[in-house]
Amino acid sequence: MHLEEQTVASQIILYLLMPLFLLGLMSMVIVIVLFLSRTNSLLIGSKEKNLSWGERNALQFSRFNAFLVESRFKRLRTALFCSIGLQYSAFALIFLLDRFWK
């Protein structure tokens, strides 16, 4: 959609949705970094160095599963799913605005 074809209202809505999409993307990255740092799912401990690669991967995956199950990560899960929802909804609205509003 070219800017000449857009109405003023559609331009204002578009300029409001773009930062929302970026906010969702940045918050999702921040939550993932927080999750990885709190669960230590990417780190290999000194006790794990003697294990085979399959056992090491299983331990790392069990740390990831803790994020999905344990109640101490409830706020991080909520923040992650809200940021994903914000990002997808803003993208969908931008797409619909571009597609149908001329």
Side-chain angles (χ1 to χ4, degrees):
M1 178 174 3
H2 300 290
L3 290 177
E4 297 84 27
E5 297 173 354
Q6 292 179 343
T7 63
V8 176
S10 66
Q11 287 179 1
I12 291 172
I13 293 171
L14 188 64
Y15 289 138
L16 290 175
L17 289 175
M18 290 169 123
L20 282 177
F21 176 76
L22 292 175
L23 178 70
L25 182 68
M26 289 187 309
S27 63
M28 185 176 65
V29 169
I30 290 170
V31 169
I32 289 174
V33 168
L34 279 173
F35 145 67
L36 290 175
S37 68
R38 290 187 183 172
T39 59
N40 297 325
S41 21
L42 294 181
L43 299 178
I44 298 174
S46 60
K47 296 178 183 177
E48 296 175 8
K49 289 183 181 180
N50 299 330
L51 299 174
S52 69
W53 68 271
E55 292 172 329
R56 245 192 333 261
N57 287 340
L59 284 173
Q60 289 174 345
F61 189 69
S62 70
R63 289 188 206 125
F64 172 73
N65 284 341
F67 172 73
L68 299 173
V69 176
E70 290 183 11
S71 62
R72 67 182 173 133
F73 296 118
K74 184 177 181 180
R75 288 185 182 174
L76 273 179
R77 276 193 310 265
T78 304
L80 179 65
F81 295 137
C82 286
S83 64
I84 290 171
L86 176 67
Q87 187 180 2
Y88 281 145
S89 61
F91 180 77
L93 289 174
I94 289 171
F95 178 77
L96 290 174
L97 178 70
D98 183 51
R99 197 64 148 155
F100 297 115
W101 194 344
K102 293 187 179 189

